[in-house]
Every structure is written in C-alpha cells, then in structure tokens.
Amino acid sequence: MTLSEQIVYGMVKPSKYKEILELKRSRWIGYVIVMMLALSVFSFAIPVASTIHGFGGFKNLFTNTLSDFEYSNQELNMEKPYKMTIGMVHVLVDTEYDTLPNDILDKDGIYYAIGKKSVKLVYMLGGSVQAENDVDLDLLLTEGFNNQTLCDMIPGIYLFLVLMFITTAVGQFISHGFFSLILALCVNSMNKHMEIGLSFGKVFALSFYGQSLYMVVSTVNNIIGILPSILVTMVGLFVTIHFVTTALISMSKFNHV
C-alpha cells in the first residue's frame, strides 16, 4: 500500500483501516508527518507566500513600501503608519502613540502592535483581548535601527518563517493528536467489548486515521471561510466517529460469522 493510498483510504474508506493498521509503525509515522506538513502548507505556507508575493518581497517592502524610520534616543519614529496582515498575524506600526491602544485592534488574531516606545503582543479572540504582553523597544532595537537594518535581516526572517512552518506542523499534530487520544480512550472500550484485540497504540492510530477527512476539510474551510467553523467541527466530529466505529465493526469477529 502506497502512502497516497493510506491518505485516500484514511479520508474515504474506513473499511480499509484494518489493512492500514497492519502496516509497519514507520508507515503510520510517515503518514502523520506528510499530513501535518501538508496541512501546514495550506494553513501557513501558502498564505504567507501569497502575502510576500503581494508586497514584492521583503526587500521591496523595507525599502519602498515602508516609509523611512529610525530608532534613536529610545524612540522609534516613522513618517507614516503601516499595517500588514499575514494569515491571522497582524503587524501595526504607528509612532503617533508611545504604546498602541487596544481599541484600534479590530480583528481577531495575533497582533504585533508597535508604537514609539514599545511593542505590544496581543491575542484577540471574539473581539476581546485574551492575552497581552508589552516589551520596551530599547530591549529589542539598537540605536540607529532603520530600513537598511531590516534589509540586512532578511535571511534571518526567512529562517524564522521556516521555523514557524515547522511549529505550525507540530501544533497541528498536538491538536489532532489530543483529540485522537480522547477518542481512543472511548473507542478502546468498544475494542475490548467486541474482542477485536487491537493494542491501544493501534486504537490511537485508528482514531487518527478517522480524522483524515476532517483535517483536510477544516483546514481548507479556515482558508476559504465558506462555512462556520463550529458547523465544520460538529460535522467533522460526527464523520470521524462514524469512520472509526465503521472500521471497528468491519474488524469485529462477530461481523464475519
């Protein structure tokens, strides 16, 4: 069975889960890695690449789009305010304020709000502040920091984006893995009652495979935003449970009598 077949069967054929679970553990690990990287490409890499292409690359952004700025005498001064959004991350720069007030943050997401004397990291959800942290700019910037300094940092920025991509993939695994663990704890009782004989590790893998379709649909929906997230989550939960229970029934010895 090829990796592509693993992924397709995981999304649409729970009757094939028995064959999938008989593969070596390394094949399941490979499936997880590929799926998490694919989800990160859709949820992080594509939006970020699109945004970077939109402003013509970082060099064009720092030298042509951004107005001239400089950090001196413990103050940042920029001729015009600037705002940029990459996915759910918003960068605001307005040196009319020493510290940017929260009432100008009007969308959900993570904000890097930069004022004359501080940068504020804010997490907004449902129109309200969920977390906030202020850092003085003199702890982050050196005297004379300006547009050219940012240009010199471009290689480091790309390295940071690569690390963010990997972090996104790890976050995807933690999120889906936690749900798989909760589901596996419930499903394992069915496994024992139906005398299927799966180890808990395989029950966990089964629960993970059962999420395959939901993982893809929810990620695409988060990008396009066609359906309410709560609706996708509820339907995804139902489909995942249906796939897992269907797979268990097909593996039950009572089903083959």
Side-chain angles (χ1 to χ4, degrees):
M1 184 182 295
T2 64
L3 179 59
S4 59
E5 287 175 327
Q6 268 183 272
I7 295 173
V8 172
Y9 291 160
M11 289 195 291
V12 298
K13 280 196 172 184
S15 60
K16 289 284 189 178
Y17 285 7
K18 183 178 185 297
E19 295 179 36
I20 296 176
L21 294 177
E22 290 173 350
L23 298 173
K24 294 181 179 179
R25 182 179 298 178
S26 59
R27 299 290 298 277
W28 178 76
I29 294 174
Y31 154 83
V32 171
I33 292 174
V34 169
M35 283 293 290
M36 297 306 101
L37 290 177
L39 295 180
S40 296
V41 166
F42 284 106
S43 63
F44 180 81
I46 291 178
V48 168
S50 177
T51 301
I52 294 174
H53 177 74
F55 56 64
F58 284 110
K59 186 172 183 179
N60 181 66
L61 171 67
F62 297 152
T63 58
N64 298 319
T65 305
L66 279 179
S67 59
D68 291 340
F69 71 87
E70 184 175 6
Y71 183 73
S72 62
N73 299 319
Q74 297 185 318
E75 290 187 354
L76 178 68
N77 290 287
M78 178 181 282
E79 293 180 2
K80 299 178 182 178
Y82 179 75
K83 180 178 181 179
M84 178 177 65
T85 297
I86 302 178
M88 293 295 291
V89 177
H90 312 283
V91 178
L92 301 179
V93 185
D94 191 340
T95 56
E96 290 296 316
Y97 301 93
D98 287 348
T99 299
L100 268 66
N102 290 339
D103 57 14
I104 68 173
L105 312 181
D106 56 357
K107 296 181 180 178
D108 287 351
I110 298 173
Y111 282 86
Y112 292 91
I114 304 170
K116 182 180 293 187
K117 294 186 177 182
S118 71
V119 55
K120 180 187 293 184
L121 177 60
V122 181
Y123 175 51
M124 295 280 291
L125 182 64
S128 61
V129 175
Q130 303 298 315
E132 178 181 341
N133 187 35
D134 291 2
V135 179
D136 290 340
L137 285 178
D138 61 1
L139 299 176
L140 302 174
L141 305 181
T142 57
E143 183 72 15
F145 189 94
N146 57 21
N147 301 69
Q148 184 56 48
T149 310
L150 277 180
C151 289
D152 296 338
M153 294 174 61
I154 289 176
I157 293 173
Y158 279 113
L159 177 59
F160 173 74
L161 291 176
V162 170
L163 294 176
M164 285 294 294
F165 172 77
I166 296 172
T167 301
T168 301
V170 173
Q172 292 276 5
F173 173 73
I174 292 173
S175 174
H176 294 295
F178 178 75
F179 176 67
S180 295
L181 178 61
I182 299 300
L183 183 58
L185 291 171
C186 300
V187 170
N188 198 41
S189 60
M190 295 176 60
N191 167 52
K192 293 178 179 178
H193 178 72
M194 300 168 71
E195 300 179 13
I196 298 173
L198 295 176
S199 66
F200 185 77
K202 288 194 173 183
V203 173
F204 176 80
L206 173 68
S207 301
F208 210 97
Y209 279 116
Q211 290 187 76
S212 298
L213 182 61
Y214 167 64
M215 291 179 193
V216 175
V217 172
S218 63
T219 299
V220 173
N221 186 67
N222 287 339
I223 298 171
I224 302 176
I226 297 178
L227 299 172
S229 296
I230 185 64
L231 176 62
V232 174
T233 299
M234 292 176 63
V235 174
L237 177 61
F238 173 80
V239 171
T240 299
I241 294 174
H242 172 70
F243 277 14
V244 171
T245 53
T246 298
L248 286 175
I249 292 171
S250 70
M251 286 185 273
S252 172
K253 66 178 184 178
F254 301 111
N255 192 48
H256 302 289
V257 174

